[in-house]
Amino acid sequence: MHRELVQISSELIKALDNAKHVVVFTGAGVSAESGVSTFRDALSGLWARFDPMQLATPEAFLADPELVWGWYEWRRQLLLKAQPNSAHQAIVKLAEQVPKLTVITQNVDDLHERAGSGEVLHLHGSIFKPRCFNCAKPYTLAEPPAMTHEQALPPPLCPDCQGMIRPGVVWFGEALPQAEMEAAFTAAENCDVLLSIGTSGVVQPAAQIPQLALRSGAWVAHINPEPVDCQHPRELSLVGAAGHILPLLLTD
Ligand code: BJW
């Protein structure tokens, strides 16, 4: 057991050693060390510069499709250049050290998959799976245009119905994908340890997942540079960057 972690919690390490099923629940913070902006960090988060209601709702898209599509194409271009970091890689190694591990992410990037995680439950969709706003048919995107900054771009049109192509993400006011939600809630109810990594825990219904695991008897550890207020005896806050803390949880 790593000395730094013994000081943090030997109980968590014991729970991990005995766990039959571990859930890893991630938010934007797990990709921060890959250079991907979070949403709500006061200085560097996307929402410090943009109003979420102007960019991440279906109403915003219909009101100004070029603004919204251009913003997502800019982010897609950045994500294509980003690489998985040591947090994504530690999750892959952890999966080799426990009998069963489920990755649930709120992220629309594919960095877990590119690090080598198998099945990943994407609760808020994927920026790489656009579809028609009108008929929902999936659309294959070309490389994003070279952009040096966010810029307005007209969305492509659906070859079948001429509807506008939209990003394959879940916007505010939209339902989460049902199969992923059900699988995520079932995993949270049946795991022994849940690691909640790099999420502010404010967006519903995903934010219920750690509480669901706690109520079902699991240990829950929050990994975040900001301390997380813990109310439950089986809940811990491991303060630090995911890329630093997660490798400490691995068996040497
Ligand atoms: C690090 C780090 C490092 C930094 N290492 N950590 C109940 C009450 C109130 C409101 C609602 C409610 N139920 C529903 C709502 C409305 C709404 C909601 O939750 N609003 C609240 C914000 C008030 N929810 C919805 O609308 C959801 N839909 C819904 O409920 O539908 C109901 C319905 C049912 C049936 C039919 C129709 C409707 C949908 C929510 C969709 C969220 N979408 C977004 C945008 C996705 C597209 C895009 O990428 O643009 O998803 S919003 C944004 O927030 C994104 C994220 O996945 C999500 C969560 O953010 P996350 O990941 O936690 O990031 P941050 O930035 O908040 O936090 C980063 C953390 O990392 C910080 O803590 C840092 O400290 C930390 N960190 N560096 C570790 N190195």
Side-chain angles (χ1 to χ4, degrees):
M1 195 191 311
H2 197 285
R3 181 182 273 186
E4 190 178 343
L5 202 60
V6 176
Q7 289 166 357
I8 298 171
S9 171
S10 55
E11 287 164 306
L12 173 67
I13 294 299
K14 207 162 98 188
L16 266 176
D17 282 347
N18 295 328
K20 294 192 177 67
H21 184 185
V22 173
V23 167
V24 167
F25 170 58
T26 63
V30 80
S31 298
E33 290 156 83
S34 297
V36 180
S37 292
T38 61
F39 293 91
R40 294 172 185 81
D41 283 289
L43 294 176
S44 58
L46 291 170
W47 296 156
R49 289 178 292 132
F50 301 104
D51 175 358
M53 295 306 152
Q54 263 195 309
L55 292 164
T57 68
E59 293 78 16
F61 180 66
L62 289 177
D64 195 342
E66 299 194 2
L67 172 77
V68 175
W69 182 256
W71 188 63
Y72 280 96
E73 281 296 83
W74 162 246
R75 286 175 53 202
R76 185 167 71 97
Q77 177 189 262
L78 296 179
L79 286 174
L80 284 169
K81 291 182 196 147
Q83 295 302 323
N85 65 52
S86 50
H88 299 104
Q89 283 150 5
I91 292 165
V92 176
K93 290 206 185 97
L94 185 61
E96 292 162 5
Q97 297 181 356
V98 297
K100 179 176 179 185
L101 184 140
T102 304
V103 180
I104 305 170
T105 190
Q106 298 167 83
N107 297 343
V108 300
D109 66 46
D110 61 352
L111 294 174
H112 284 302
E113 287 90 340
R114 282 203 269 140
S117 285
E119 193 197 0
V120 178
L121 299 171
H122 280 271
L123 297 183
H124 293 161
S126 164
I127 203 165
F128 300 111
K129 293 184 179 165
R131 63 177 187 273
C132 176
F133 190 92
N134 185 41
C135 72
K137 191 171 178 205
Y139 182 86
T140 305
L141 277 174
E143 289 287 300
M147 297 162 92
T148 53
H149 56 280
E150 300 91 347
Q151 63 185 76
L153 279 179
L157 298 180
C158 174
D160 282 11
C161 76
Q162 302 304 305
M164 286 187 292
I165 299 302
R166 58 160 286 173
V169 302
V170 180
W171 282 325
F172 288 112
E174 294 188 315
L176 276 61
Q178 199 178 341
E180 279 82 352
M181 265 303 291
E182 283 173 10
F185 275 62
T186 302
E189 281 167 343
N190 290 291
C191 69
D192 307 297
V193 176
L194 182 141
L195 304 175
S196 176
I197 305 163
T199 177
S200 55
V202 297
V203 174
Q204 299 289 348
Q208 293 167 29
I209 285 174
Q211 291 308 316
L212 194 57
L214 272 177
R215 282 203 300 277
S216 308
W219 279 83
V220 170
H222 303 273
I223 299 172
N224 199 305
E226 299 296 325
V228 174
D229 183 28
C230 296
Q231 307 282 346
H232 195 283
R234 274 183 280 100
E235 190 178 21
L236 299 152
S237 173
L238 306 183
V239 180
H244 174 66
I245 299 281
L246 274 168
L248 302 178
L249 297 177
L250 299 171
T251 312
D252 292 330

